[in-house]
Amino acid sequence: MQRNGLVLRLDGREMQDAASVFRAFARDLSFLGYFGHNWDALVDCLHDWHGPGHGSQGLAILIEHADDLLKSDFLGLFVSVLAQAAWNSNLRLDADGESDEWWRPRMVQHFVFLLDHTAPVAFTEKAACGMDVAVALSDGRLLATLTDVDWPGGDPASAPWTAGPLSFADNEILGGMTINAIKLIRDHLGCSIHEALDILQSRSEQLLREHSND
């Protein structure tokens, strides 16, 4: 990273459940003893990380070998938590929409999932299920941000961002109108036909699971 930033690497293969996620972050980022080993505490400690000993250094956290996170039931929440942590460091506005830099200057904080063999597009459905999360596809990468409804200054939940679960093509998928569904997905996400096909398959499988549980 530029400006003397730090790059830290975590191993996604260790993150089998929420508890192991908390352990990995606490160990590799040297969280202090007050870390509560829950999702809210993870947001707080990532925010507090820019304190004594780290100061104004930007931070990029690379989660390597992250493929198996696709199988987890906490992926959407995990993405939402990381997005919240990044918002706290990168932007953070007060109730009036003004920067609260009187308390602490903005710091750069990025989180990147590095995949060994899984296409990023495969993460679209689960990542978009995170609370207040919007996703977009760009040059084969899946990007996630917070919507601007509850997070002032965030990226607008509009094209190319799609907020929330990918439900906009459900009627077409359930009705067997595959071509129309692919067009909707492509137009909403600004992705290629091949990426839209992958998303269609993922969303179809999710709908099948939901209906089988009814």
Side-chain angles (χ1 to χ4, degrees), residues 99-184:
S99 173
D100 65 355
E101 292 186 11
W102 64 269
W103 177 69
R104 197 210 66 193
R106 298 176 186 176
M107 305 295 177
V108 176
Q109 195 170 95
H110 297 296
F111 302 93
V112 182
F113 288 11
L114 299 178
L115 306 172
D116 295 326
H117 51 77
T118 307
V121 68
F123 280 70
T124 304
E125 173 70 26
K126 283 196 171 183
C129 289
M131 184 178 65
D132 297 332
V133 170
V135 299
L137 287 163
S138 176
D139 298 326
R141 297 176 299 168
L142 181 64
L143 310 178
T145 188
L146 296 173
T147 64
D148 63 343
V149 177
D150 298 310
W151 303 92
D155 289 289
S158 58
W161 300 100
T162 298
L166 308 181
S167 58
F168 51 81
D170 284 0
N171 289 337
E172 285 72 15
I173 293 173
L174 294 172
M177 296 179 285
T178 303
I179 293 178
N180 289 344
I182 291 173
K183 289 180 178 178
L184 275 175

Side-chain angles (χ1 to χ4, degrees), residues 6 8-9 28 39 62-63 66 71-72 76 79-80 85 89 103 114 117 127 130 147 151 155-156 172 177 184 205 209:
L6 293 177
L8 300 180
R9 298 175 181 271
D28 293 342
W39 295 112
L62 310 183
I63 301 177
K71 304 173 184 177
S72 71
V79 171
S80 179
S89 293
W103 177 69
L114 299 178
H117 51 77
T147 64
W151 303 92
D155 289 289
E172 285 72 15
M177 296 179 285
L184 275 175
E205 293 172 354
R209 287 192 295 270

Side-chain angles (χ1 to χ4, degrees), residues 125 170 173-174 178 181 185 197-211:
E125 173 70 26
D170 284 0
I173 293 173
L174 294 172
T178 303
I185 293 170
L197 281 168
D198 288 338
I199 295 172
L200 173 67
Q201 180 179 350
S202 176
R203 184 60 184 169
S204 297
E205 293 172 354
Q206 176 65 26
L207 290 172
L208 181 62
R209 287 192 295 270
E210 291 176 356
H211 284 275

